[in-house]
Amino acid sequence: MAEITAAAVKELREKSGAGMMDCKKALTETNGDIEAATDWLRSKGLAAAAKKSSRTAAEGLVGVAVAGTKGVAVEVNSQTDFVAKNEIFQTFVRDVTSVAIELGDDIDAIKAAPLPTGTVEEVLTNNISTIGENQVLRRAKMVQVSQGAVIPYVHNAQAPGLGKIGVLVALESDAGVDVLEPLGKQIAMHVAAAFPLALSIDDLDPEVVEREAAILREKNAEKIVGKSPEVAEKILNGPIEKFKKENALLTQLFVMDGKTPVQDVIAKAAKDAGASIVLKDYVRFQLGEGIEKEESDFAAEVAAASGVSR
């Protein structure tokens, strides 16, 4: 058997666009023949999938699932919204969610997990070739409680447990599900609508707070001219404290009434139930959040494909 060198793997990667391990396997299968290895990759759909992997994937689906006192949310992206309606894609997202509920939210572990027709990563690669556009297993997060309930909510659902926004709310409590389910559902709907940045003020990212504080200080700079240090501090710090309260879940005003902090809503529910209820954690995945979408000129793409200049 011919020796598979790093240089050969590099050459095949550059020629086919396939992954390093796939290139190494292709060269092993073809006794180091670059051309044959390229054909082997194409026959497996790996070269085609690799070419599509450079295309921005900001559509797709968020999947949520709950098992006992733990729940998980995953995001799988595609290039177009049409794929979200594809049965193959929906089944894959459900399968990935089922894997994640057992393994946790380590993406590498999820990709390596077995499915009936191969590993998660292998099935994803095959789906890229079958469906014809790039797809990415982007992220996953698990929440759990030792006692209580994890309540799921999907906004803009495409199918059961699949949609554009997926939310999980973890309530640590000895109250019954008759109390926790409706409370958790309302809090989850609030999370979907209000987009909190963290559970509590103390959990807010210091860099985010400082960036906002710098903007607010500059915005209010003229207002403190000629003011005493005490008054100036109130003018500058007031908006910062307001920002913190409005972006931490527990101190946000509950969207159901617009006046009660979420932490007070939970406290009242606990008092009425005669039990302790603690909002331990939450997840909010919004499809494509933070992904910069490519702007395409369809007419220009058609002209380029036909060799006509514009």
Side-chain angles (χ1 to χ4, degrees), residues 91-92 95-96 98-99 110 112-121 123-124:
T91 298
F92 177 72
D95 289 344
V96 171
S98 298
V99 168
I110 295 171
L115 292 175
T117 58
T119 66
V120 167
E121 188 166 24
V123 173
L124 178 61

Side-chain angles (χ1 to χ4, degrees), residues 114-183:
L115 292 175
T117 58
T119 66
V120 167
E121 188 166 24
E122 288 169 345
V123 173
L124 178 61
T125 299
N126 184 66
N127 286 353
I128 293 172
S129 297
T130 302
I131 295 174
E133 65 176 60
N134 190 26
Q135 296 157 56
V136 178
L137 171 53
R138 184 186 182 200
R139 56 180 173 166
K141 184 177 178 181
M142 174 177 280
V143 293
Q144 54 188 327
V145 293
S146 57
Q147 183 182 19
V150 175
I151 298 90
Y153 171 69
V154 176
H155 188 66
N156 286 339
Q158 297 284 331
L162 304 174
K164 302 292 186 180
I165 299 177
V167 178
L168 295 168
V169 170
L171 297 174
E172 188 83 45
S173 177
D174 54 3
V177 292
D178 59 322
V179 173
L180 300 181
E181 288 284 351
L183 174 64

